């Protein structure tokens, strides 16, 4: 009687009826599957050429062969793209992200070098509004490099991220992490969320 | 002072900043009280430290070939350091390798508890149906 979903997602009963439609679309045809894997193929070939550090036909050919091999042997379920991007919001997000990463780094550095050892930490569940795997993943990654928090666990089915927060003194500190996570989610949805996600963050 | 000198100074400063942040990350790994707190040091200062050093290398080399090789370094570091932290943190949490006395709020404990009991109940249910089928 194995719990096939692993630990965190073993919530068999919770909300499965509601979410099923969003997370498990009808099985696509072969042609559609190949089309959905095309972005991954392109990214793998570009990566191969970047790693060699030059652009040549030989690199393109070996990259294409390797990309097919990698995609065959390390199969990943196709990512559902939202079909919508907004480069301006993405640039705004990147700027904000780099700024916050700088603050976070020096903050943690100061905490490490000068801080007291017995700080109070928290594990905070944040309910996101998105249903998209990409936005969920990027929110977790971005928050991990922003001040005060990193993603400790994710409940994909319910779109909940559990953040570990350093040095939360009181309820205000906990609330600040929640607000930061929702703000990050909002920026990412504006950059590449679906229109349904876009409505839900308003 | 020529442009080359200015760029040399900037990249030297960036290497210093990177070295400082990496050192602070190392000190954090030793000084923070438990595994979960230590992962903060392993993500933020470490990543920014590497970014600073990579930018310094790019400024010194000033060639497209080097720049194209540095981009995947940055990309993978930014994307994968948080994922590594999450894997380690999750494992530490679930094997109780952390200090519960330091936590102010723990929203995860209740949910893990419920998920586990739900899964167990679901398994018990299937056991029972199996038996009913056989009977």
């Amino acid at each position: 009687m194995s719990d096939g979903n692993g630990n965190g997602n073993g919530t068999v009963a919770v909300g499965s009826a509601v979410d099923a439609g969003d997370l498990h679309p009808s099985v696509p045809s072969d042609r559609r599957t190949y089309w959905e894997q095309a972005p991954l193929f392109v990214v793998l070939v570009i990566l191969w050429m970047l790693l060699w550090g030059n652009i040549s036909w030989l690199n393109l050919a070996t990259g294409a062969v390797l990309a097919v091999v990698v995609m065959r042997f390390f199969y990943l379920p196709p990512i559902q793209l939202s079909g919508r991007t907004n480069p301006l919001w993405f640039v705004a997000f990147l700027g904000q992200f780099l700024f916050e990463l700088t603050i976070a780094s020096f903050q943690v550095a100061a905490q490490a070098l000068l801080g007291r050892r017995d700080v109070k930490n928290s594990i905070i569940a944040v309910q996101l509004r998105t249903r998209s795997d990409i936005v969920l993943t990027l929110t977790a990654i971005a928050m991990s490099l922003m001040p005060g928090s990193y993603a400790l666990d994710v409940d994909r089915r319910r779109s909940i991220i559990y953040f570990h927060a350093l040095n939360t003194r009181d309820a205000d500190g906990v609330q600040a992490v929640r607000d930061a996570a929702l703000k990050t989610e909002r920026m990412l949805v504006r950059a590449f969320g679906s229109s349904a996600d876009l409505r839900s963050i308003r | 002072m020529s442009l080359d000198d200015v760029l040399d100074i900037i990249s030297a400063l960036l290497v210093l900043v990177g070295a400082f942040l990496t050192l602070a990350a190392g000190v954090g790994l030793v000084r923070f009280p438990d595994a979960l707190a230590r992962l903060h040091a392993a993500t933020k200062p470490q990543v920014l430290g590497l970014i600073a050093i990579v930018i310094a290398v790019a400024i010194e080399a000033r060639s497209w070939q080097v720049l194209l090789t540095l981009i995947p370094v940055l990309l993978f570091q930014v994307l994968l350091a948080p994922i590594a932290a999450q894997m380690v943190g999750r494992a530490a949490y679930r094997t109780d390798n952390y200090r519960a006395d330091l936590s102010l709020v723990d929203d995860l404990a209740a949910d893990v508890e419920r998920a586990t009991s739900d899964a167990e109940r679901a398994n018990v249910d299937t056991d029972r149906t199996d038996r009913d089928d056989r009977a």
Side-chain angles (χ1 to χ4, degrees):
Chain A
M1 306 304 150
S2 67
D3 170 19
N5 286 329
N7 287 328
N9 298 333
T11 47
V12 182
V14 183
S16 53
V18 185
D19 298 340
D22 285 329
L23 287 173
H24 305 291
S26 56
V27 181
S29 68
D30 277 359
R31 186 186 296 267
R32 180 132 178 80
T33 313
Y34 278 122
W35 183 241
E36 278 174 346
Q37 286 184 326
L40 177 62
F41 177 80
V42 173
V43 167
L44 284 172
V45 173
I46 292 177
L47 175 67
W48 177 252
M49 290 162 95
L50 286 178
L51 288 175
W52 276 100
N54 65 25
I55 296 163
S56 71
W57 290 109
L58 181 64
N59 270 344
L60 187 68
T62 49
V65 171
L66 272 171
V68 169
V69 170
V70 166
M71 285 163 68
R72 278 272 163 225
F73 285 95
F74 303 96
Y75 177 75
L76 292 169
I79 302 172
Q80 274 201 301
L81 300 170
S82 69
R84 174 191 161 273
T85 51
N86 184 327
L88 280 181
W89 277 116
F90 181 60
V91 171
F93 167 76
L94 269 190
Q96 176 86 16
F97 173 73
L98 285 176
F99 175 69
E100 304 237 4
L101 171 60
T102 310
I103 293 182
S105 298
F106 284 100
Q107 197 176 305
V108 173
Q111 178 81 35
L113 296 171
L114 312 167
R116 290 171 49 206
R117 292 177 67 116
D118 56 337
V119 288
K120 281 285 183 188
N121 306 318
S122 295
I123 297 169
I124 304 160
V126 181
Q127 172 73 59
L128 300 185
R129 293 151 293 188
T130 181
R131 287 276 157 216
S132 144
D133 285 343
I134 294 189
V135 174
L136 187 68
T137 309
L138 288 178
T139 306
I141 287 177
M143 283 297 288
S144 297
L145 298 174
M146 284 181 170
S149 57
Y150 73 87
L152 183 63
D153 211 336
V154 178
D155 187 334
R156 177 184 169 218
R157 191 191 289 272
R158 292 187 288 164
S159 286
I160 294 176
I161 305 182
Y162 298 89
F163 292 106
H164 186 267
L166 197 61
N167 202 6
T168 45
R169 288 193 192 83
D170 47 26
D172 285 350
V174 172
Q175 188 58 39
V177 173
R178 284 183 211 281
D179 293 345
L182 292 176
K183 187 184 161 207
T184 307
E185 183 203 17
R186 191 180 310 123
M187 293 200 84
L188 283 165
V189 166
R190 278 173 180 159
F192 18 58
S194 64
S195 42
D197 276 350
L198 211 54
R199 276 193 298 279
S200 71
I201 59 162
R202 293 250 164 78
Chain B
M1 214 160 69
S2 70
L3 181 65
D4 271 7
D5 292 342
V6 177
L7 289 177
D8 277 353
I9 291 170
I10 292 175
S11 60
L13 286 176
L14 281 171
V15 169
L16 266 182
V17 170
F20 165 75
L21 286 171
T22 312
L23 174 71
V27 172
L29 282 182
V30 178
R31 280 201 72 211
F32 282 151
D34 66 350
L36 299 183
R38 286 184 179 126
L39 289 170
H40 284 278
T43 48
K44 292 147 213 152
Q46 196 274 124
V47 167
L48 187 66
L50 187 83
I51 289 178
I53 289 173
V54 162
I55 294 175
V57 171
I59 289 176
E60 275 303 290
R62 266 168 275 163
S63 87
W64 283 109
Q65 190 170 348
V66 172
L67 193 66
L68 289 181
T69 319
L70 291 177
I71 287 171
V73 173
L74 279 191
L75 201 65
F76 280 114
Q77 188 68 25
V78 168
L79 287 180
L80 298 185
I83 293 172
Q86 192 246 321
M87 298 304 283
V88 175
R90 187 187 152 111
Y93 187 88
R94 276 153 209 272
T95 49
D96 284 334
N97 279 309
Y98 68 102
R99 284 179 55 188
D101 59 306
L102 292 176
S103 63
L104 179 75
V105 179
D106 186 350
D107 291 340
L108 188 53
D111 284 357
V112 168
E113 184 73 23
R114 197 179 56 230
T116 315
S117 64
D118 275 359
E120 274 163 9
R121 207 178 317 121
N123 288 343
V124 170
D125 285 350
T126 22
D127 285 351
R128 200 177 299 135
T129 5
D130 286 354
R131 254 197 312 280
D132 290 349
D133 287 349
R134 254 176 271 129

